Amino acid sequence: MIYTLYYVHDPMCSWCYAFKPTLEKLRKHLDSNIKIVNVVGGLAPYSDEIMPKEMQEKIESIWYEIEEVTGTKFNHDFWKKCAPRRSTYLACEATILARYENKENEMIEAIQEAYYQKAMNPSDAITLISLAKQIGMDEKKFEEDLKSQKIEEDLQNELNFRRSLYVKTFPSLILKYKKELYPINIKYDDYEVMLNQIKNMTENTYF
């Protein structure tokens, strides 16, 4: 039997960034009949407006909370060096474009490193273009594709698919077999709990 494990995320979601090390451990221990498929969630739509100061402070406080809960470290210089916008759709599109060249996970990692460690802004196309070049994509083609109607349509299709999974929070894991969907409880510091939940579902009485 082949099972699909959907990983629903946003490349600019701070909790997704904190979840990455545990997700990688889970990925390494999954049985070969379980395929992980990334689904971008679309945390925040296109916007050219600078975040209000209150929102900036709220999101930075979440970074501090994540540091305390998970031990993940953030470069808080981002809030001084960049003009933050509540806008992640462009980064989601960049992730989809990288997927078409089998570089999806490389792009996610590059966006997260740029955003959370190098105080760069992935809401800006110029940042995403430089990251595409960094991971070996054709930057001119990437820049053109990022402006295209097709990638907007592809993103909307993926957001609709995410809704069909009944997911509203990121990160989320959804195990699918045939037409049935089974949410997996996220554990930020213990991949074995999630692994055991998945094994129990696939090996016992669920299917």
Side-chain angles (χ1 to χ4, degrees):
M1 296 182 186
I2 302 298
Y3 305 94
T4 301
L5 183 63
Y6 292 112
Y7 172 54
V8 188
H9 73 105
D10 190 292
M12 292 180 66
C13 162
S14 50
W15 283 105
C16 297
Y17 175 58
F19 185 56
K20 183 178 180 295
T22 305
L23 177 65
E24 290 307 309
K25 291 177 184 176
L26 176 65
R27 190 191 302 271
K28 290 177 182 177
H29 288 85
L30 285 173
D31 291 340
S32 59
N33 65 334
I34 301 174
K35 179 185 178 183
I36 290 187
V37 174
N38 295 334
V39 179
V40 293
L43 190 61
Y46 311 104
S47 177
D48 290 327
E49 295 183 8
I50 305 302
M51 285 184 201
K53 188 66 174 176
E54 298 78 18
M55 182 180 289
Q56 293 186 37
E57 291 172 351
K58 179 181 179 181
I59 295 177
E60 186 175 14
S61 72
I62 292 173
W63 289 16
Y64 282 115
E65 178 186 354
I66 294 172
E67 287 176 330
E68 185 174 344
V69 171
T70 70
T72 304
K73 298 300 180 184
F74 295 85
N75 182 353
H76 293 267
D77 286 346
F78 172 83
W79 303 100
K80 304 181 185 73
K81 293 182 176 180
C82 296
R85 306 199 311 280
R86 186 69 170 164
S87 180
T88 73
Y89 275 21
L90 207 61
C92 289
E93 291 177 346
T95 300
I96 295 173
L97 288 174
R99 180 190 304 162
Y100 298 153
E101 298 189 21
N102 296 315
K103 291 179 177 290
E104 180 179 15
N105 289 327
E106 291 178 62
M107 178 60 82
I108 295 169
E109 185 172 345
I111 290 172
Q112 291 175 336
E113 182 180 0
Y115 186 19
Y116 296 118
Q117 297 300 321
K118 297 182 178 179
M120 299 167 64
N121 193 348
S123 296
D124 296 336
I126 191 170
T127 297
L128 297 170
I129 293 165
S130 70
L131 297 179
K133 181 181 180 181
Q134 176 184 308
I135 65 172
M137 297 178 69
D138 184 317
E139 59 182 319
K140 290 185 178 180
K141 182 178 184 303
F142 178 86
E143 182 176 5
E144 291 173 0
D145 290 344
L146 199 59
K147 298 175 182 177
S148 69
Q149 181 68 30
K150 181 180 183 304
I151 191 57
E152 288 191 30
E153 293 173 354
D154 289 348
L155 174 60
Q156 290 304 319
N157 288 336
E158 188 137 340
L159 298 185
N160 286 333
F161 178 68
R162 184 263 294 170
R163 295 181 187 106
S164 77
L165 297 175
Y166 304 103
V167 169
K168 295 182 179 180
T169 59
F170 316 129
S172 287
L173 289 170
I174 305 292
L175 184 67
K176 181 180 181 182
Y177 177 65
K178 294 185 178 178
K179 294 183 179 181
E180 299 299 320
L181 301 173
Y182 299 86
I184 304 300
N185 296 325
I186 295 291
K187 297 292 182 182
Y188 287 91
D189 59 352
D190 193 343
Y191 79 90
E192 291 181 333
V193 172
M194 296 180 290
L195 183 64
N196 289 336
Q197 187 180 357
I198 293 167
K199 285 185 174 181
N200 286 337
M201 288 181 170
T202 57
E203 295 175 0
N204 295 322
T205 60
Y206 283 79
F207 303 126

